[in-house]
Amino acid sequence: MTTGIDARLDRIGTDGSYVIIPMDHGITMGAVQGLKDIESTIDGVTSGGADAVLTQKGIAPRVHDNKNDKGYIVHLNGSTTIGPDEQDKRMTGTVEEAIRVGADAVSFHINVGSDYEPDQISQLSEVTEQAQRFGMPVLAMAYARGPGVDSTDPEALGHAVRLAEELGADIVKTGYSGDAESFQHVVESTRLPVVIAGGSKGTDRETIEMVRGVMDAGGAGVSMGRSVFQHETPAAIARAVSGVVHEDLSTDEALAESGLALEA
């Protein structure tokens, strides 16, 4: 760690825990619900308790005036759902470009077990080397994905997060194994803070129960996109997630204090 990395980690988290809302999905899926008026969504999730938002570099001008002094992460690779293979993430930016657009950290996606793993390993290594020179934190989005790979297998997820540490990342995001007991193995596979992806939007209770499980397993928080930015009230679900991550609330407490229904 360097002083710069430590200082910037403080900008994208709270006391070593993280509620990050990625909204780079426009490059992948287009201007889906929650991303057309991304300014309002950014304002909603950050006023609701998110520590940071994440986008591709070109969206930076739409971020800064709406993030309520919270952190900003620029994502450095991407692909589309209408292209030949969504798993083939290509470089979309550099650490220096992220600095120029006002980022506090950068992120990079790697599919461990995919056909593109070798190139993505090399690229992530290059990103962490660049970032170290500039004192920029790197969030590695390390997923277990590929032919014959179970994306919820704790052994595969543990391998993915350890790979991120081995390549020099500062935080690692991965999929959820389904319960706190199995996810504990994932957390124990690295000394990095481990945050989880949200995946497809479920019910509010399913989302918050998943967050509760991550924290019970010793995780450091979440990096949840569609579950938050496509919610009917992004500020409310961000508040509920933040309540679990930062205040150690139970599922029912988080739902109640955020004004969300306590559905079964």
Side-chain angles (χ1 to χ4, degrees), residues 202-207 209 251-252 255 260-264:
T203 68
D204 294 343
R205 176 168 291 278
E206 287 170 342
T207 297
E209 284 179 342
T251 298
D252 285 349
L255 290 170
L260 297 171
L262 295 171
E263 78 275 6

Side-chain angles (χ1 to χ4, degrees), residues 232-252:
E232 294 79 2
T233 50
I237 193 67
R239 191 173 300 115
V241 172
S242 179
V244 175
V245 173
H246 294 318
E247 301 172 45
D248 198 30
L249 299 183
S250 69
T251 298
D252 285 349

